[in-house]
Amino acid sequence: MDPAPSGTTPGPSRIRRDPLRPPDMVRMGTDGTRGSLLSLLRAAGRNALANYLHFAVTTVVTLVASPLLVQYLGPVAFGLWRALQRIMDFGTVADGRATQALKWLVARGVEAGDDHAQRQAVGSALIVWALFLPLSLLVCGGLVWALPHLIAGVPPELAAPLRWAAVLLALNLLLIPLLGAPDAVLVGTNQGHVSVLLRAGLFAASNAVMLVAAWRGHGLPVLAAIVLASSLLFALLIWRQARRRVPWFGVARPTRPQVRGFFGFSGGVVLWSVVVKLLLASDLLLIGFRLGAGAVTDYVFTAYAAQVAISLAFMTGSASMPGVGRLVGGGDAARIAAAAAGVRDLTLFLAVLLCAGALLFNRPFVALWVGGEHHLGGLFEFLIVLEALQLILIRSEAQLQDLGLRIGRRVGIGVVATVLALLLGDLAWRLVGEVWAIPAGVIAGRLLMSLRFPRLAAAVVGPALRGQWLRTLAGVALVGACGLAAEWLYAGAAPLRPATLLALPVFAGVVAVAWFGLLGAASRRRLLGLLPWRRRPTENGHA
């Protein structure tokens, strides 16, 4: 972050010259006026609570809806639906990411109080969306055309419904940037909890409608139409909320420098968004391409716990970054390095616990959830979890490097490593012929990011200490030990036998080892200081 010098207030002219500069997180209020730090923290708390609530709702809904959709649609159609959603999601990479730029610019404009400039920012986002629309049409059309070549073994009777569903999802993706402008305005004015709660409610409602539709015998096109209808309803509701909560909300003709600023921001973000999507979907894409929709269904259930671990770690890591960003803006190298070390410690500790829990409890969970026949085996599960651990650590280093607001080199390395991961994953499957070879190849291809991203982050927050590298290797070894323990616990027996209970003391041992072995003394003190009964007043009476 690069906050304004103390005692100064950036004026409108400065904002126009640097429209994408992050907001001063100390002075910005939540209602379009200057606010105190306390009001900012309260708004941040509401946003964080809304995010966790959204995660809880989506998790519960997915747990309930997925096995029912498998039952109503059939394993093949369900696998096609999940693969289709992941594939079509790549259509968003060509929309210019104008709403991302809009969030930054609106947040910065709150300090200046220039309502006309804020409406111009909305106009810039809409112009950039319109300019990128032909490219989005081309990409989405290409994905629809290439579907039969991207998913193996599509039954002839499902080929036409699959294409119609893809067309509807493509239309949804084309409209998202246009419909998302009010959402970006709410987020930029620090009221993102409103849109998050709306999304959570509509996600639950739309999935309920999907279940009814599938139960009545409707297929993939109807499910896609429900997704589109949900997006349109969200757009209507969020537009009304923006009009009610943001007095200046509207559109004005922007200046050419503003539009150029959006374009300058969009290039790197678009490429990095491609990398992130491939990071999250590499295995599913390769499995769908080589093994077909039925294997995708089994992958979705086997990898669900690992995906939850990734989501929780990402959410927690993101919450730690604003504080480090303020230190980066202040330029105190020692405090920046100490804060970055704490973030790395916390990320590794949380990632190891989540991945260990996934290995120790996922097999009985899958058996209870949808049936053990949908589990792809212990070796595949271990590699998927190890891949999740690698991805969490890569993303943490990328977020630390984000604080320097320079992502060009990272994008280049990410593109190379992602392509390499896909190639090695496919090559490994062709050489071995087993499904576990795919994540093994993907992990090998991503090693380039694992090695290079900490060096890029070091330019912003300082290098990782030797002890932190050793703790990272120890964390990988601890997750590997949990994989062996899971094989021993569940080998040759039903997953729901009493051996599942033995996983509880094993996990407790992992927590103890991770607490004393992976966290530095300073990180342990900070975490203990968060406990209410551990807080002590300072000399001025504040905790």
Side-chain angles (χ1 to χ4, degrees), residues 63-74:
L63 288 174
V64 173
S66 294
L68 292 175
L69 283 175
V70 172
Q71 178 182 344
Y72 299 149
L73 295 175

Side-chain angles (χ1 to χ4, degrees), residues 90 194 236 543:
F90 283 90
V194 177
L236 174 63

Side-chain angles (χ1 to χ4, degrees), residues 386-403:
L386 190 63
E387 187 182 341
L389 176 63
Q390 181 189 38
L391 181 56
I392 292 168
L393 298 179
I394 286 173
R395 184 69 178 271
S396 176
E397 296 297 329
Q399 287 181 317
L400 288 172
Q401 200 244 341
D402 274 341
L403 302 177

Side-chain angles (χ1 to χ4, degrees), residues 27-38:
R27 295 200 204 103
M28 187 178 67
T30 63
D31 57 355
T33 62
R34 286 189 172 187
S36 66
L37 176 60
L38 180 60

